[in-house]
Amino acid sequence: MALNNGCLKNNIITGDPFVDLGGLVLQSISERFPKKSEIEIVQFLIDVYIKKWNRNLYSVFLTTSKILNPSLKGKYEKSTKSYYQSIIQNKKIESCLDEGYCKTCGKQGLLFHNSRDFFPNSGSGKFVNFHHSHETGIFLCKECTLKLFFIPLGVVLLEGKNGFLHTQSNRLSNFWKHRIIDENLNKIDRNTSTGILRIPYTKSVNALFYLAEQIIMEVKDDEYSDYIQLIIFTNFGADPSCTIHQLPNPVFNFLNKVLRYHKFYWHRFINRFYHIKGAKWDAVNYKWFQEKKGEIIALKEDDYQNNSNQIYEKLLGNKSILRQLENAHKMHYQNQLEKFPIEITYHYIKEVLNMTKEQVELIARISDVIFELSKKEKNFKKYLFMFESAGKAYELRGALLKIIKANFQNGADEPVIRIKDYVDYLFPDGQYWGEIRDLLLIHLYEKYHDEGVNRSEIPEGEIEEAIVEEKHVNTL
Ligand SMILES: [Zn+2]
């Protein structure tokens, strides 16, 4: 029986990451070899695992599984094939349940006993507490049981463990299928596959951003309704683990905007925030330098792409990156570089910080007043210093009050801000004061660029960090 008419017919998304990943691999192989029967597909997989990968599957399957069990030495192929033959034929084997509902897809009928042998990170042996009714394993229908055997071709090596993209969106699943599973199958065709696939990134957080970028470039869309989730797991012996890194939907949409329209500037901005021991950042040439054997050499991206990155950590940890953006605006201005695109900041405050248009306009208006006052008094440094050094909330309020007073003393018709706007838009409930200060300064530097203010008027160094625990930004 052809696979297309068998198991694949029931390739429904179950919501279980492991079963669905196996299903995706099964679908890919089935499409590549439409004439192969189910057992021929299993045989293909056994050949890959045993002959090409030398059974190096210990991070996915347990040593008690038929393909790895040392007591089956010399009989791995035969015993694995015979096990899956019974499953494909829906034949009763030891520990079967005659009748029941599959735990992952809900199908009624004969169910097969699955444990950590082939089902990563599930319960096994005495660990019945992993299962709601304290069964000795997870009981699955034949299709879901079979899919688990396909998992290794759907994962990549990350931090010495296995990683895969989990999503319930078809188009994102297709991306994974095309980029990873097809790549695996191509390597098998070329006889260059020797084990679980490697990607240029080994650090999972960086890999998540790399994959997000690949998706944005490949699966083009103005607005994504999905989020991306990278599951990192190992089912290895006594030390199984599972970590989930989720890229929230607002961050995904923010990346979509900046990568589509400002990719060059975004990459340059990100590079500045890698942690590189003993290296120095050149803010004019946008390069990292390190002294090696008495020689100063520029580092290449490959040298540090697996180091931790402050911006990635902040974006995943729901922390604001506005101060870092603000410093980018200032450094571009100070170093006479072209203007850092204000659009990156706008996309960030719209998509991630969820600031209202009224709030942004109000902050821009206050910035204009600060600029006009500085111009009139021929002293840009004085006001700029007041805001840049405001490291605490009361210092920012104090600086604002000075502006309000100076504006009145200078004979302005309109106040800087009315009390309703102050309460509703400048500091509404839940608004982090540091973000208001950062945005004010970003507008000011934009203005300095546009008006060509003398750079000697600008205080040296980076802007003071706001000293209050940063609020969690609204990601809803
Ligand atoms: Zn099922």
Side-chain angles (χ1 to χ4, degrees):
M1 183 171 56
L3 192 71
N4 284 348
N5 298 321
C7 285
L8 199 62
K9 204 174 169 186
N10 193 30
N11 189 27
I12 54 169
I13 303 291
T14 67
D16 181 278
F18 294 105
V19 173
D20 290 344
L21 177 68
L24 200 62
V25 178
L26 177 60
Q27 190 185 18
S28 305
I29 301 180
S30 153
E31 284 165 4
R32 193 166 284 225
F33 307 111
K35 292 195 174 142
K36 274 194 198 292
S37 68
E38 291 165 343
I39 196 62
E40 282 169 345
I41 296 272
V42 168
Q43 181 65 57
F44 167 80
L45 217 55
I46 291 173
D47 286 344
V48 171
Y49 292 163
I50 294 179
K51 293 174 187 160
K52 294 186 191 293
W53 291 15
N54 202 20
R55 296 188 308 117
N56 195 359
L57 300 160
Y58 296 96
S59 60
V60 186
F61 302 142
L62 276 193
T63 47
T64 41
S65 66
K66 304 234 177 282
I67 199 153
L68 299 181
N69 196 331
S71 70
L72 293 170
K73 197 174 177 193
K75 293 184 267 180
Y76 302 119
E77 185 177 343
K78 203 172 157 214
S79 51
T80 307
K81 191 174 174 183
S82 123
Y83 172 68
Y84 283 106
Q85 181 85 63
S86 305
I87 286 165
I88 288 165
Q89 290 170 350
N90 215 22
K91 231 164 74 181
K92 274 172 85 170
I93 51 173
E94 205 189 338
S95 319
C96 259
L97 268 190
D98 281 345
E99 184 67 24
Y101 295 94
C102 172
K103 199 82 171 185
T104 54
C105 78
K107 190 184 162 196
Q108 191 179 11
L110 184 69
L111 300 180
F112 296 91
H113 175 273
N114 284 276
S115 64
R116 271 186 62 204
D117 285 3
F118 284 116
F119 200 150
N121 299 41
S122 65
S124 65
K126 290 178 186 162
F127 297 106
V128 293
N129 55 318
F130 273 75
H131 311 303
H132 294 151
S133 309
H134 288 191
E135 301 98 330
T136 53
I138 299 184
F139 286 90
L140 303 180
C141 69
K142 73 164 197 176
E143 288 84 2
C144 293
T145 303
L146 185 62
K147 285 173 185 176
L148 295 173
F149 191 50
F150 290 73
I151 291 171
L153 258 71
V155 296
V156 294
L157 206 62
L158 279 175
E159 294 179 6
K161 298 176 182 172
N162 309 298
F164 68 96
L165 194 74
H166 178 235
T167 164
Q168 292 180 23
S169 141
N170 272 339
R171 56 187 189 163
L172 297 191
S173 296
N174 279 335
F175 162 81
W176 192 251
K177 186 167 158 236
H178 163 65
R179 287 301 295 263
I180 303 299
I181 304 171
D182 283 352
E183 171 63 11
N184 247 326
L185 294 174
N186 291 341
K187 285 185 84 173
I188 292 165
D189 270 356
R190 295 194 300 265
N191 211 15
T192 55
S193 173
T194 54
I196 288 172
L197 197 69
R198 290 170 188 271
I199 57 172
Y201 289 80
T202 53
K203 190 174 175 58
S204 40
V205 167
N206 300 20
L208 180 61
F209 280 88
Y210 163 74
L211 290 169
E213 180 166 343
Q214 301 295 305
I215 291 171
I216 287 162
M217 295 301 151
E218 233 174 79
V219 191
K220 292 190 169 66
D221 205 339
D222 286 340
E223 193 82 24
Y224 290 94
S225 55
D226 334 278
Y227 59 87
I228 320 179
Q229 192 162 269
L230 194 62
I231 297 186
I232 311 292
F233 76 95
T234 173
N235 193 34
F236 187 76
D239 198 21
S241 70
C242 186
T243 313
I244 298 172
H245 296 287
Q246 196 185 89
L247 191 74
N249 175 263
V251 176
F252 192 18
N253 275 316
F254 163 61
L255 290 177
N256 185 29
K257 299 277 166 31
V258 294
L259 286 167
R260 283 173 68 189
Y261 305 116
H262 311 285
K263 193 173 167 180
F264 171 76
Y265 289 97
W266 175 248
H267 279 175
R268 258 192 4 180
F269 170 70
I270 285 291
N271 280 349
R272 157 76 180 87
F273 294 95
Y274 280 101
H275 297 287
I276 311 171
K277 221 174 164 183
K280 286 210 169 90
W281 175 251
D282 174 350
V284 176
N285 295 302
Y286 265 78
K287 275 187 167 47
W288 283 103
F289 285 91
Q290 203 164 36
E291 195 185 325
K292 279 185 184 171
K293 292 175 190 164
E295 234 186 296
I296 305 285
I297 52 162
L299 298 179
K300 294 193 291 292
E301 207 175 320
D302 298 2
D303 297 328
Y304 52 81
Q305 68 182 8
N306 284 307
N307 289 17
S308 57
N309 184 295
Q310 192 190 6
I311 299 298
Y312 291 162
E313 283 162 12
K314 278 179 176 278
L315 286 172
L316 288 195
N318 233 1
K319 299 276 175 76
S320 176
I321 62 163
L322 213 46
R323 192 177 74 89
Q324 285 72 22
L325 287 169
E326 179 195 340
N327 269 316
H329 285 280
K330 176 173 180 173
M331 291 304 144
H332 270 242
Y333 180 67
Q334 214 163 34
N335 295 318
Q336 302 192 32
L337 300 170
E338 72 280 40
K339 202 159 113 181
F340 184 75
I342 188 79
E343 293 80 5
I344 292 181
T345 306
Y346 283 145
H347 290 313
Y348 178 69
I349 56 180
K350 180 173 177 283
E351 300 291 342
V352 183
L353 296 184
N354 214 8
M355 276 191 189
T356 62
K357 194 166 159 261
E358 289 85 351
Q359 208 175 358
V360 176
E361 283 172 359
L362 176 62
I363 292 168
R365 261 197 344 258
I366 297 172
S367 280
D368 287 347
V369 173
I370 299 170
F371 181 80
E372 289 307 323
L373 280 174
S374 311
K375 210 159 97 178
K376 207 166 178 180
E377 294 184 21
K378 296 192 176 63
N379 190 346
F380 288 91
K381 210 171 239 172
K382 173 182 151 191
Y383 290 108
L384 197 56
F385 183 76
M386 257 164 44
F387 285 93
E388 285 200 359
S389 61
K392 296 191 175 81
Y394 73 86
E395 290 169 346
L396 175 66
R397 287 199 305 270
L400 276 171
L401 288 173
K402 280 183 188 152
I403 295 292
I404 289 166
K405 189 174 174 185
N407 181 59
F408 181 71
Q409 284 172 333
N410 271 282
D413 294 335
E414 273 294 305
V416 179
I417 186 169
R418 293 182 182 273
I419 193 150
K420 192 177 178 314
D421 290 341
Y422 186 92
V423 175
D424 289 350
Y425 298 121
L426 198 61
F427 294 113
D429 279 350
Q431 181 64 56
Y432 173 50
W433 70 271
E435 285 161 356
I436 304 297
R437 183 203 66 173
D438 294 342
L439 207 50
L440 263 173
L441 288 167
I442 288 170
H443 273 286
L444 270 178
Y445 276 106
E446 190 190 15
K447 202 99 182 157
Y448 296 160
H449 251 293
D450 293 345
E451 303 280 334
V453 171
N454 191 337
R455 282 169 173 84
S456 63
E457 294 279 346
I458 308 304
E460 298 256 313
E462 295 209 344
I463 296 159
E464 185 94 20
E465 182 150 22
I467 312 168
V468 173
E469 197 177 317
E470 290 180 58
K471 89 171 184 75
H472 281 223
V473 294
N474 185 5
T475 54
L476 293 175

